[in-house]
């Protein structure tokens, strides 16, 4: 018994796996066969339904055209009645029997014009009367037969179709009637009443029967609300088209068809486009005949599927047996690998193949982890390697080891360094955050990498050397020409400008034969970038073509004096000419960037000193948060500096001119005040208070513009007035001194003698000849 159990265990495992393969192959083969057979039958059924539906739609389209003509004729008849002048005449004079007869004759003629019309009625709002084509005039009482009046009254539309309703004739016979109502007169806002045309439903039904050219089909006329107006049935269906389907058809646009599975057997429902008044024609055809004709195809398809199924089962058994031996060998190898990888045996859980998956997943996972760690470290390692090359921190052996370790395709010969620098760095720092600037640097690095890879066959490494500078160490193998480097740099500039809308300048060092000289090319690229100050932004600067810059002392004394003199006299044009001359002299002498900034800083200081001399406040003129020297240091080109400096000089010059104009007016006010109040005992403080200024500021400004102090000007005025009194009056000296503002006659005599060289009495005697 124990031996039998061991044999059973050995047999059970492989057969369970074999059974799994067999079932899988059976499903893979049989499911497509069954699906193809089923969908082939459904396709044939759908094709037959589509062909029948198309013929039904064509028939409905033709029948709909005929019905449209009938409905339009009825509409035209109501319009003709509405336009008839006898209606308005009668509505204005409803006691006129002659006009009543005329209206009734018109209604009878309308009924006689079409066999489908049962009767025509008119209702006048003014008298509440109804005139019929078949009875005399009667008053509206709200009877059931006259319900159409209430219906049109409640409607906001000018015309209305009512569903069929039984109306009893005078002979007691009931007729199913369809009513069309219109407000009259047609096209006028002042409605006098309504006209109703009652149609025989049997006439419309007969028209449906005459147009019916297909057997085994029911036809319906459906209103816009989904109600059946009339129908003609040929097929034996337990129920008609369901109410739900009629409402669905009423909401659809255009024409089409669908299958109604509500009845048994199912029926095909086709519908036409809407008629003139919103009605539709709907056909219903049972699919019994189609099912019978397709039953042969169904049986044939079923037999073919059974045959293919038997073949599939045989093939599945053969394939499952064919798969077993290789998998058995794979499982044996897997167990040996599991012991090496120290994995647990999962066969106890009934899934032998999971062992293979565990082994592969573990091995591949370890490989991916190692590759991922290496890829994550490569950018940082390459950045450090490039920076070490630029700073000359690696020996020849260390460079070889790094190239091999990082798997770089770099040789040891032919290197050049390209430095890419963002223009207008200070402005960009104010506009963007540090995160945005890092993204821009990342984008620039990607653009440069892609262009070098696509436009050249050279290898390279890159690194960020500052917040606004990136360096490319390019292995050119052979000695790359300067023009080739220039073309590559200009292309990099163009693409960065087009894609990122940024301006960059590029410095190119010389090409050196050995990788150990990379740091020399780097220093050359940095040095040549300094000439951007004179060359301008968005420049490509090559070290070999860079001119020598003057680094000695530059005298600025004469230029500063000229600028001060022109600013003081308000000569803005000449001051700007001096500024332009400085720019040309800097370009001519090729001053170093350090000397350029020194020159413009001194010029800026000269302007500020002149501004302060005229009581100007730089913070008020240029802004409280503005640091002019810092703004100057952030400008990168001579053109930018000159433009910025022009703005500063113009502001200072305009301010000085405005101050001069204000000061002239102030001097005039002081002079006028002295001329008016000189007889009083005045002081500088009193005069300053009189004209509304600070005494010390007023004294300084007055002296600066007139060359005299305020008290000197007051004394001159008093002396001039006293001279007139001496010559034109007989007043004594005491009275004259009091009249011109002196409390002490001795003070008056002393001041007079100081200015004229003689006393007031002597002056009177000499001038009057006494």
């Amino acid at each position: 018994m124990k031996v039998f159990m061991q044999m059973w265990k050995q047999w059970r495992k492989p057969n369970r796996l074999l059974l799994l393969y067999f079932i899988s192959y059976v499903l893979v083969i049989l499911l497509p066969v069954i699906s193809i057979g089923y969908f082939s039958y459904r396709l044939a059924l759908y094709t037959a339904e589509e062909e029948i539906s198309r013929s039904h739609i064509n028939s409905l389209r033709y029948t709909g055209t005929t019905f449209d003509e009938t409905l339009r004729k009825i509409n035209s008849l109501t319009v003709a009645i509405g336009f008839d002048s006898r209606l308005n005449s009668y509505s204005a004079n409803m006691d006129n029997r002659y006009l009543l007869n005329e209206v009734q004759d018109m209604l009878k003629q309308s009924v006689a014009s079409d066999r489908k019309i049962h009767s025509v009625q008119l209702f006048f709002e003014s008298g509440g009367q109804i005139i019929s084509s078949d009875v005399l005039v009667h008053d509206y009482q709200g009877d059931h037969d006259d319900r159409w009046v209430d219906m049109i009254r409640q409607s906001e539309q000018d015309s209305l179709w009512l569903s069929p309703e039984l109306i009893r004739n005078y002979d007691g016979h009931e007729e199913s009637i369809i009513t069309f109502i219109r407000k009259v007169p047609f096209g006028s806002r002042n409605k006098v009443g309504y006209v109703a045309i009652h149609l025989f439903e049997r006439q419309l039904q007969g028209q449906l029967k005459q147009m019916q050219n297909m057997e085994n089909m029911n036809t319906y006329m459906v209103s816009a609300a989904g109600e059946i107006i009339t129908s003609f049935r040929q097929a034996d269906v337990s129920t008609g088209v369901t109410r739900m389907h009629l409402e669905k058809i009423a909401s659809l646009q255009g024409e089409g068809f669908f299958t109604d599975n509500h009845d048994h057997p199912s029926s095909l429902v086709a519908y036409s486009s809407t008629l003139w008044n919103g009605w539709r024609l709907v056909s219903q055809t049972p699919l019994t005949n189609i099912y019978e004709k397709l039953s042969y195809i169904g049986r044939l398809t079923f037999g073919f599927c059974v045959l293919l199924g038997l073949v599939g089962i045989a093939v599945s058994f053969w394939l499952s047996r064919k798969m077993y031996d290789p998998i058995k060998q794979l499982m044996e190898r897997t167990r040996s690998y599991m012991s090496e990888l120290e994995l647990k045996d999962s066969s106890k859980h009934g899934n032998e193949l999971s062992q293979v998956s565990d082994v592969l997943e573990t091995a591949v996972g370890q490989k991916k982890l190692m590759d991922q760690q290496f890829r994550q470290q490569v950018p940082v390692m390459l950045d450090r390697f490039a920076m070490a090359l630029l700073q000359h921190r690696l020996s020849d052996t260390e460079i070889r080891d790094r190239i091999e370790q990082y798997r770089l395709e770099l040789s040891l010969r032919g290197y050049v360094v390209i430095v890419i620098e963002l223009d207008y760095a200070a402005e960009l720092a104010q506009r963007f955050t540090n995160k945005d600037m890092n993204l821009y640097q990342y984008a620039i690095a990607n653009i440069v990498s892609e262009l070098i890879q696509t436009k050249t066959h050279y290898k390279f490494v890159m690194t960020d050397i500052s917040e606004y500078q990136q360096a490319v160490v390019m292995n050119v193998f052979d000695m790359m020409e300067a023009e080739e480097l220039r073309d590559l740099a200009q292309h990099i500039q163009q693409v960065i400008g087009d894609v990122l809308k940024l301006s960059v300048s590029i410095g190119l060092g010389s090409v050196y034969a050995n990788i150990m000289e990379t740091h020399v090319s780097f220093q050359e690229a940095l040095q040549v970038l300094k000439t951007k100050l004179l060359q301008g932004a968005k420049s490509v600067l090559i070290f070999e073509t860079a001119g020598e810059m003057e680094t000695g002392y530059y005298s600025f004394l004469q230029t500063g004096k000229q600028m001060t003199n022109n600013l003081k006299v308000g000569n803005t044009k000449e001051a700007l000419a001096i500024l332009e001359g400085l720019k040309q002299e800097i370009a001519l002498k090729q001053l170093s960037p350090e000397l350029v900034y020194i020159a413009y800083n001194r010029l800026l200081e000269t302007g500020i000193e002149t501004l302060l001399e005229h009581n100007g406040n730089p913070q008020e003129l240029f802004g409280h948060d503005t640091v002019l020297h810092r703004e100057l240091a952030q400008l990168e080109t001579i053109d930018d500096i000159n433009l910025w400096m022009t703005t500063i000089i113009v502001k200072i010059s305009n301010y000085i001119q405005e101050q001069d104009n204000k000061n002239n007016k102030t001097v005039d006010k002081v002079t006028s005040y002295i001329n008016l109040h000189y007889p009083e005992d005045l002081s500088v403080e009193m005069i300053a208070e009189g004209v509304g200024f600070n005494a010390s500021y007023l004294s300084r400004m007055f002296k600066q513009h007139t060359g005299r102090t305020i008290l000197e000007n007051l004394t001159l005025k008093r002396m001039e007035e006293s001279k007139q009194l001496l010559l034109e009056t007989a007043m004594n000296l005491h009275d004259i001194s009091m009249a011109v503002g002196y409390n002490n006659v001795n003070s008056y005599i002393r001041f007079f003698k100081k200015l004229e060289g003689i006393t007031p009495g002597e002056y009177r005697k000499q001038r009057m000849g006494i």
Side-chain angles (χ1 to χ4, degrees):
M1 185 66 180
K2 187 176 181 180
V3 175
F4 177 76
M5 292 297 297
Q6 292 178 350
M7 292 179 61
W8 166 254
K9 289 181 180 179
Q10 294 178 357
W11 177 82
R12 182 173 59 86
K13 287 186 179 180
N15 277 275
R16 183 178 61 185
L17 190 60
L18 178 64
L19 180 62
L20 177 63
Y21 295 150
F22 175 71
I23 295 175
S24 300
Y25 284 125
V26 168
L27 293 177
V28 169
I29 295 175
L30 291 186
L31 285 179
V33 171
I34 296 173
S35 299
I36 291 172
Y38 173 77
F39 286 112
S40 297
Y41 176 75
R42 295 300 303 175
L43 178 61
L45 179 62
Y46 177 77
T47 303
E49 291 178 355
E50 187 176 14
E51 289 299 324
I52 295 174
S53 65
R54 290 185 183 278
S55 63
H56 286 191
I57 290 174
N58 290 334
S59 176
L60 294 177
R61 191 180 299 159
Y62 174 73
T63 305
T65 303
T66 304
F67 268 101
D68 250 345
E69 293 177 0
T70 300
L71 298 177
R72 290 181 184 275
K73 183 178 178 182
I74 299 301
N75 178 63
S76 300
L77 181 58
T78 60
V79 172
I81 294 173
F83 275 128
D84 197 302
S85 60
R86 289 173 288 188
L87 259 66
N88 286 326
S89 300
Y90 180 72
S91 63
N93 186 7
M94 301 188 70
D95 295 330
N96 192 321
R97 302 297 299 177
Y98 173 76
L99 290 176
L100 176 61
N101 293 333
E102 289 289 325
V103 172
Q104 285 184 316
D105 290 341
M106 176 186 64
L107 298 182
K108 291 178 181 179
Q109 291 174 5
S110 300
V111 173
S113 64
D114 194 333
R115 295 177 56 189
K116 290 184 285 296
I117 299 176
H118 170 270
S119 60
V120 180
Q121 290 182 309
L122 280 170
F123 173 76
F124 292 93
E125 288 282 5
S126 59
Q129 292 181 342
I130 296 178
I131 302 176
S132 301
S133 60
D134 52 359
V135 296
L136 295 176
V137 178
H138 67 279
D139 294 330
Y140 172 70
Q141 300 294 333
D143 296 337
H144 179 73
D145 291 344
D146 297 331
R147 69 183 182 90
W148 60 271
V149 176
D150 292 331
M151 298 294 288
I152 191 63
R153 277 178 171 174
Q154 298 170 4
S155 176
E156 296 181 356
Q157 301 177 3
D158 288 336
S159 61
L160 186 66
W161 286 90
L162 301 183
S163 300
E165 185 168 322
L166 293 177
I167 295 180
R168 186 179 299 277
N169 295 329
Y170 291 105
D171 56 2
H173 182 67
E174 290 185 340
E175 289 282 358
S176 180
I177 297 300
I178 300 171
T179 303
F180 176 63
I181 316 167
R182 177 178 292 282
K183 299 177 181 179
V184 292
F186 179 73
S188 174
R189 295 184 178 179
N190 300 320
K191 307 299 182 184
V192 300
Y194 317 109
V195 58
I197 297 181
H198 305 289
L199 304 174
F200 290 107
E201 182 192 354
R202 54 184 170 81
Q203 291 289 340
L204 297 180
Q205 188 179 50
Q207 194 169 356
L208 280 179
K209 180 177 181 181
Q210 292 176 4
M211 298 299 172
Q212 184 61 269
N213 56 0
M214 302 188 69
E215 297 181 358
N216 200 29
M217 182 175 75
N218 298 335
T219 309
Y220 305 88
M221 180 176 288
V222 182
S223 69
E227 299 177 349
I228 296 177
I229 304 299
T230 186
S231 62
F232 176 71
R233 302 191 179 193
Q234 298 183 91
D236 184 14
V237 182
S238 58
T239 61
V241 182
T242 63
R243 176 67 181 177
M244 179 181 65
H245 285 142
L246 290 179
E247 293 178 352
K248 172 184 176 183
I249 292 172
S251 63
L252 296 175
Q253 299 291 331
E255 56 189 17
F257 70 94
F258 60 88
T259 303
D260 185 0
N261 297 317
H262 182 266
D263 293 327
H264 184 76
S266 301
S267 58
L268 184 66
V269 179
Y271 53 90
S272 68
S273 300
T274 55
L275 302 180
W276 168 81
N277 61 345
W279 293 354
R280 286 179 185 268
L281 292 176
V282 181
S283 67
Q284 179 189 29
T285 305
L287 297 177
T288 306
N289 293 338
I290 297 178
Y291 292 153
E292 291 176 356
K293 292 179 180 179
L294 292 178
S295 60
Y296 172 75
I297 297 176
R299 289 192 294 270
L300 182 62
T301 303
F302 177 76
F304 182 70
C305 289
V306 171
L307 178 61
L308 290 179
L310 294 175
V311 173
I313 292 174
V315 172
S316 299
F317 181 77
W318 180 78
L319 288 175
S320 59
R321 292 295 302 177
K322 198 72 175 176
M323 285 285 294
Y324 177 69
D325 291 339
I327 292 177
K328 183 178 180 181
Q329 296 176 4
L330 176 63
M331 294 302 303
E332 292 175 355
R333 293 182 182 179
T334 300
R335 293 189 184 94
S336 64
Y337 294 149
M338 289 182 66
S339 60
E340 295 179 7
L341 296 174
E342 298 180 354
L343 297 177
K344 295 182 179 179
D345 187 0
S346 60
S347 61
K348 297 179 181 180
H349 302 288
N351 189 359
E352 296 86 351
L353 291 179
S354 64
Q355 299 175 0
V356 181
S357 175
D358 293 342
V359 171
L360 292 176
E361 185 176 355
T362 302
V364 173
Q366 293 179 355
K367 176 66 168 53
K368 287 183 177 180
L369 180 61
M370 294 176 61
D371 291 342
Q372 183 180 3
Q373 292 176 348
F374 180 77
R375 285 194 298 270
Q376 290 176 348
Q377 295 176 359
V378 163
V380 178
M381 292 187 296
L382 292 181
D383 185 81
R384 292 177 179 174
F385 175 61
M387 186 61 72
L389 287 176
L390 298 177
Q391 297 177 353
H392 196 45
R393 295 201 310 259
L394 298 176
S395 65
D396 184 72
T397 303
E398 290 174 331
I399 292 175
R400 293 174 184 269
D401 293 341
R402 300 285 176 86
I403 291 176
E404 182 178 355
Q405 178 184 356
Y406 302 154
R407 305 172 189 175
L408 301 176
E409 298 179 6
L410 299 177
S411 70
L412 299 178
R413 297 188 58 79
Y415 278 87
V416 65
V417 175
I418 302 174
V419 177
I420 303 164
E421 180 179 78
L422 276 172
D423 295 329
Y424 313 110
E427 180 182 346
L428 293 175
Q430 293 177 356
R431 290 171 52 194
F432 302 109
T433 63
N434 291 334
K435 182 178 180 181
D436 293 333
M437 295 304 300
N438 292 335
L439 290 176
Y440 274 124
Q441 279 199 307
Y442 179 75
I444 290 174
N446 286 339
I447 291 173
V448 173
S449 300
E450 184 176 353
L451 290 178
I452 295 178
Q453 290 172 356
T454 56
K455 298 298 180 181
T456 71
H457 58 281
Y458 303 125
K459 305 301 179 182
F460 64 95
V461 289
M462 289 187 65
T463 183
D464 295 337
I465 56 177
S466 72
E467 190 175 359
Y468 305 107
Q469 290 181 328
Q470 294 173 290
V472 182
V473 181
M474 191 160 64
N475 182 199
V476 296
F477 305 112
D478 48 11
M479 304 307 287
M480 194 174 187
E481 296 292 336
E483 288 303 319
E484 295 181 66
L485 283 171
R486 184 187 298 276
D487 293 341
L488 176 61
Q490 288 176 345
H491 192 59
I492 291 173
Q493 274 185 336
Q494 180 182 355
V495 174
I496 292 175
D498 294 340
V499 176
L500 302 180
K501 309 303 180 185
L502 294 176
S503 172
V504 296
S505 294
I506 299 179
L508 305 172
S510 302
V511 180
Y512 288 91
N514 196 297
I515 193 172
M516 296 295 295
E517 298 175 292
T518 302
H519 68 286
V520 181
S521 182
F522 173 59
Q523 293 300 324
E524 292 174 350
L526 291 179
Q527 182 179 349
V528 78
L529 268 177
K530 294 181 179 180
T531 64
K532 182 177 74 170
L533 181 66
L534 301 179
Q535 302 296 332
K538 202 174 183 181
S539 300
V540 175
L541 307 167
I542 301 178
F543 181 76
E544 294 178 351
T545 60
E548 293 293 330
M549 294 185 294
E550 184 177 329
T551 58
Y553 178 76
Y554 174 71
S555 176
F556 183 71
L557 181 59
Q558 189 64 28
T559 304
K561 289 181 178 179
Q562 293 175 354
M563 180 63 72
T564 300
N565 294 335
N566 283 283
L567 287 177
K568 285 183 177 180
V569 299
N571 193 344
T572 306
K573 183 177 180 181
E574 186 61 29
L576 295 180
I578 294 172
L579 188 63
E580 184 64 26
L582 176 62
K583 173 186 174 183
Q584 295 176 0
E585 189 172 359
I586 289 173
L588 180 64
K589 292 187 176 182
Q590 290 292 299
L591 297 182
S592 65
E594 292 79 8
L595 289 179
V596 173
Y597 283 112
I598 290 174
Y600 279 103
N601 271 291
R602 289 183 179 178
L603 186 62
L604 178 60
E605 291 171 359
T606 299
I608 293 175
E609 289 173 359
T610 307
L611 177 65
L612 293 174
E613 289 178 5
H614 288 76
N615 302 305
N617 189 334
Q619 290 184 338
E620 293 180 358
L621 186 60
F622 302 109
H624 292 280
D625 298 330
T626 302
V627 181
L628 296 178
H629 291 284
R630 184 173 62 192
E631 285 190 0
L632 176 59
Q634 291 175 345
L635 300 175
E636 299 178 356
T637 67
I638 189 68
D639 292 329
D640 293 339
I641 293 175
N642 189 69
L643 180 61
W644 179 83
M645 199 68 196
T646 298
T647 305
I648 299 299
I649 295 300
V650 169
K651 285 185 177 181
I652 294 175
S653 180
N654 291 340
Y655 176 82
I656 292 175
Q657 292 181 40
E658 291 176 1
Q659 288 300 112
D660 287 342
N661 294 334
K662 291 180 181 179
N663 291 339
N664 289 335
K665 293 180 180 179
T666 303
V667 169
D668 293 340
K669 289 176 66 175
V670 171
T671 303
S672 298
Y673 188 86
I674 290 174
N675 292 339
L676 184 62
H677 298 279
Y678 72 89
E680 302 173 8
D681 186 14
L682 293 177
S683 64
V684 174
E685 288 74 15
M686 293 173 64
I687 296 173
E689 184 179 356
V691 296
F693 283 91
N694 177 270
S696 59
Y697 166 74
L698 187 64
S699 298
R700 185 172 63 254
M701 182 273 297
F702 193 89
K703 173 72 172 178
Q704 183 178 355
H705 280 76
T706 64
R708 297 189 299 269
T709 66
I710 295 176
L711 293 179
E712 289 174 347
N713 194 73
L714 175 61
T715 301
L716 289 175
K717 175 62 177 176
R718 287 173 172 174
M719 293 301 104
E720 291 297 325
E721 293 297 326
S722 70
K723 288 178 183 179
Q724 292 184 7
L725 294 176
L726 288 170
L727 299 177
E728 297 175 0
T729 68
M731 295 172 61
N732 58 37
L733 295 182
H734 180 271
D735 293 338
I736 290 175
S737 66
M738 296 297 291
V740 295
Y742 289 103
N743 296 328
N744 190 329
V745 66
N746 293 327
S747 297
Y748 165 64
I749 294 173
R750 186 175 66 256
F751 279 113
F752 193 94
K753 186 175 182 180
K754 182 178 180 180
L755 291 175
E756 299 295 332
I758 58 177
T759 64
E762 293 172 347
Y763 178 83
R764 173 180 278 179
K765 291 178 181 181
Q766 289 179 359
R767 291 300 179 93
M768 298 184 67
I770 300 175

